[in-house]
Amino acid sequence: LATDPDCDRVGIAVKNDGEYVLLTGNEVGILLFDFICRMRIRAGTMPEAPVAISTIVSTDMADAVAGKYGVEMRRTLTGFKFIGEQIGLLEQQGEVQRYLFGFEESYGCLIGDYARDKDGIAAVMSLCEAAAYYRSKGITLWDQMNNIYEKYGYYKEDQVSIVLEGAEGAEKIKEMMTDMRNKNVEQIGKYKVLCFKDVDNDYVKDMITGEEGKTGLPKSNVLYYQLENNSWCCVRPSGTEPKIKLYFGVKGECEKCATEELEALKDAMVKLVRGE
């Protein structure tokens, strides 16, 4: 295990057949989410109407796990401050005890309602507890991750950054976002677009029925595409670097299938954003 210098994120590697497997931030989050639900139910401490929180660019497997354990899964914009904001809202309503767990794909987790930001120290402690528990069952954390994949499906995620430096690059990024916002995108690669969300304009369109509505999310320059077969894409400009960021997620019947579908979706989305 290793944290970053300010100890708010944690990454882990697990030995498998003599080689170390690096787990993604999504996999770490799912392992902890599943373990916490499992242990809270076992101990009889699962709160009534429990709530877990993640971001719109984190794995959709979280929804599958939440459904299994009867947990309400809330989605926020990218950034742990938005997860913290949701915990604060629960606190204002006198319901903070409902909060169970929060995570984002960039290796941030928060177990418990004592803070409003990610905590790598608590995540390290819980991962060690989980590793010890699963070792007592004769398996590793990576074995358990594969058990979860077999149970819920092979969800895979990735992101791509298109770097465009300087004033000319900044203008190009603006143009890309405007072009994508104004396109009526009905298909990306082999996937039909089921729902389009323009968070900046608080706009949602069901691409099948044509019904329009609101995202209910804070204003942010984010475009989100919900695709068929539990797949999705998201595009936004970086707030700190000269790049436009693309996020992707798919669900496959096997690990190889999911990996191949993810690569195909990435290729199609990059071409669409570049206008190729």
Side-chain angles (χ1 to χ4, degrees):
L1 307 95
T3 71
D4 58 347
D6 60 349
C7 292
D8 62 353
R9 304 173 198 264
V10 60
I12 66 172
V14 182
K15 192 174 279 188
N16 180 53
D17 294 330
E19 300 288 334
Y20 277 103
V21 179
L22 295 173
L23 274 71
T24 68
N26 280 315
E27 288 172 332
V28 172
I30 289 296
L31 273 171
L32 283 175
F33 184 26
D34 180 76
F35 179 70
I36 289 165
C37 289
R38 188 186 297 264
M39 293 299 104
R40 291 289 291 265
I41 289 172
R42 182 181 177 187
T45 59
M46 182 68 95
E48 285 189 27
V51 172
I53 309 165
S54 192
T55 69
I56 61 172
V57 298
S58 299
T59 179
D60 279 358
M61 187 187 280
D63 297 281
V65 174
K68 161 70 175 175
Y69 292 108
V71 177
E72 177 191 344
M73 173 56 65
R74 297 185 181 181
R75 296 283 183 168
T76 71
L77 293 176
T78 307
F80 221 92
K81 67 179 182 180
F82 295 109
I83 294 176
E85 181 180 61
Q86 287 295 314
I87 302 170
L89 290 174
L90 285 169
E91 187 173 47
Q92 290 171 22
Q93 296 160 2
E95 299 179 345
V96 74
Q97 73 281 356
R98 293 176 60 198
Y99 174 73
L100 192 68
F101 180 63
F103 83 96
E104 60 184 359
E105 42 77 38
S106 55
Y107 296 88
C109 301
L110 178 61
I111 305 155
D113 59 24
Y114 56 88
R116 297 295 178 269
D117 205 348
K118 48 195 174 289
D119 181 359
I121 301 301
V124 165
M125 180 181 69
S126 296
L127 284 164
C128 288
E129 184 180 3
Y133 172 78
Y134 290 121
R135 185 177 181 179
S136 74
K137 305 295 182 184
I139 61 174
T140 67
L141 283 178
W142 181 239
D143 292 329
Q144 177 58 14
M145 190 66 238
N146 281 301
N147 289 340
I148 292 171
Y149 277 131
E150 288 175 17
K151 184 171 185 177
Y152 297 104
Y154 287 84
Y155 291 80
K156 295 290 180 184
E157 301 78 27
D158 203 354
Q159 63 173 278
V160 169
S161 292
I162 301 172
V163 179
L164 296 162
E165 297 182 340
E168 188 177 328
E171 191 59 35
K172 182 62 177 173
I173 288 171
K174 273 188 186 179
E175 287 177 15
M176 284 177 163
M177 290 299 297
T178 300
D179 288 347
M180 287 297 294
R181 182 168 274 115
N182 294 333
K183 283 177 185 173
N184 187 37
V185 181
E186 297 182 348
Q187 188 153 333
I188 301 175
K190 72 174 189 177
Y191 298 103
K192 285 182 181 177
V193 179
L194 302 181
C195 181
F196 167 65
K197 298 179 183 180
D198 179 348
V199 180
D200 205 38
N201 290 312
D202 194 21
Y203 174 77
V204 177
K205 181 178 180 181
D206 185 315
M207 300 298 289
I208 307 302
T209 66
E211 185 178 351
E212 299 177 339
K214 296 182 179 296
T215 66
L217 294 168
K219 189 177 178 66
S220 184
N221 194 5
V222 176
L223 303 175
Y224 186 92
Y225 303 85
Q226 184 66 51
L227 311 176
E228 59 185 347
N229 299 339
N230 293 100
S231 299
W232 58 271
C233 301
C234 181
V235 56
R236 70 178 181 92
S238 170
T240 57
E241 298 173 287
K243 60 178 65 170
I244 188 166
K245 303 182 79 171
L246 287 67
Y247 301 82
F248 319 89
V250 301
K251 179 185 178 185
E253 295 180 358
C254 65
E255 185 173 10
K256 182 182 177 184
C257 303
T259 300
E260 289 174 352
E261 295 206 12
L262 183 61
E263 290 304 312
L265 179 57
K266 282 165 59 177
D267 184 59
M269 187 62 176
V270 168
K271 286 180 178 176
L272 181 64
V273 172
R274 286 187 180 274
E276 295 176 0

